[in-house]
């Protein structure tokens, strides 16, 4: 984030375009912000955003450097790069344990598809694309579980799946396993002792959260929720089964 002390300096540079000043203000927030919050932060820095200036239209005209989400306006990765290209430092940030743990797991994963899922989850998390980070981290975790079952418990899985559903077609690949509904898949994992009931309950909550974030709706997700979601997946799936 751009600290307030730097914001005060940059917002009073006459050579900086108004639209760039808006992007710099956005860069002072850890996540999405409303126009009211933008105006308040600008006032704190001694800069006034007038109603007549139409800040929404200006941000919409940035070519994707800023986007409007249900939670408010936020910078995209290209917007962050643009702000940095102006010579603005985002300041020193504390090490992010979640991002560090995700990178450690990515370094251990050999399957290229799973690694790509996780790397995209890391990018979404670091750019504060909260809903996307929740979706991509879940896709990584469920793929890791499918691969583990395929490599270590495929016969037991097929037997249990057929017991519950006689119409189940024997799975031979991870894609075959993916035919099963994810919630049912977690139930089958408990039955064959791959995971315990308490772990399943936590993963079911993650699945519900993923479903909420994966479709257009009014759900709002803050940073702490994303961290909790990813931490559950790291300690109960990635570190154990990847």
């Amino acid at each position: 984030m751009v600290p307030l002390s730097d914001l005060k300096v940059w917002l009073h540079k006459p050579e900086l375009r108004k639209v760039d000043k808006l992007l710099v203000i956005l860069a002072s927030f850890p996540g999405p912000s409303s126009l009211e919050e933008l105006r308040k932060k600008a006032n704190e820095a001694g800069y006034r955003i007038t109603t007549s200036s139409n800040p929404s239209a200006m941000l919409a005209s940035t070519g994707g450097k800023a986007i409007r989400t249900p939670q408010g306006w936020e910078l995209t990765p290209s917007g962050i790069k643009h702000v940095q290209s102006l010579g603005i430092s985002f300041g020193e940030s504390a090490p992010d344990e979640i991002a560090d743990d995700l990178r450690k797991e990515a370094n251990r994963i050999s399957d290229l598809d799973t690694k790509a899922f996780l790397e995209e989850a890391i990018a979404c998390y670091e750019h504060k694309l909260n809903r996307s980070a929740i979706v991509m981290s879940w896709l990584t975790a469920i793929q890791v579980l499918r691969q583990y079952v395929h490599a270590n418990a495929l016969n037991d899985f097929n037997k249990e799946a057929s017991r519950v559903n006689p119409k189940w077609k024997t799975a031979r690949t991870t894609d075959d396993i993916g035919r099963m509904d994810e919630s049912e898949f977690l139930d089958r994992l408990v039955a064959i002792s791959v995971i315990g009931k308490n772990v399943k309950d936590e993963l079911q909550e993650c699945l519900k959260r993923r479903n909420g974030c994966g479709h257009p709706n009014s759900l709002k997700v803050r940073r702490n929720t994303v961290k909790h979601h990813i931490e559950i997946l790291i300690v109960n799936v990635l570190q154990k089964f990847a």
Side-chain angles (χ1 to χ4, degrees), residues 49-216:
I49 300 175
T50 62
T51 304
S52 61
S53 65
N54 199 346
S56 287
M58 293 176 68
L59 289 171
S61 69
T62 59
K65 295 182 179 66
I67 58 172
R68 189 172 190 172
T69 68
Q71 291 77 40
W73 284 97
E74 62 182 85
L75 287 179
T76 62
S78 65
I80 293 172
K81 289 181 181 179
H82 177 74
V83 171
Q84 291 174 326
S85 73
L86 298 174
I88 300 173
S89 171
F90 277 63
E92 294 297 326
S93 58
D96 192 314
E97 185 177 353
I98 294 294
D100 288 345
D101 286 346
L102 285 174
R103 282 204 172 83
K104 289 176 184 176
E105 296 308 312
N107 289 335
R108 294 197 307 108
I109 292 175
S110 58
D111 181 76
L112 295 181
D113 290 335
T114 308
K115 193 181 187 73
F117 280 140
L118 186 52
E119 288 175 344
E120 188 166 341
I122 294 170
C124 291
Y125 176 77
E126 292 187 323
H127 289 303
K128 298 180 175 61
L129 302 176
N130 293 338
R131 291 167 67 113
S132 297
I134 283 175
V135 171
M136 293 309 303
S137 58
W138 173 260
L139 290 178
T140 303
I142 201 69
Q143 180 68 0
V144 164
L145 287 171
R146 287 169 181 158
Q147 289 177 335
Y148 179 86
V149 168
H150 180 259
N152 301 279
L154 188 58
N155 287 336
D156 289 343
F157 172 78
N158 278 317
K159 287 179 182 178
E160 178 62 17
S162 297
R163 183 190 70 79
V164 175
N165 178 13
K167 294 183 180 181
W168 171 255
K169 184 178 179 180
T170 300
R172 303 185 187 281
T173 67
T174 53
D175 286 346
D176 291 341
I177 296 172
R179 296 195 314 265
M180 182 177 288
D181 175 84
E182 292 174 349
S183 181
E184 293 181 11
F185 176 64
L186 296 177
D187 288 337
R188 300 297 86 76
L189 296 191
V190 173
I192 63 175
S193 299
V194 171
I195 61 175
K197 182 182 181 301
N198 291 334
V199 171
K200 185 203 79 169
D201 290 344
E202 289 294 331
L203 294 182
Q204 289 283 16
E205 289 300 316
C206 289
L207 174 57
K208 291 178 184 177
R209 195 176 296 114
R210 177 265 179 196
N211 290 339
C213 290
H215 304 282

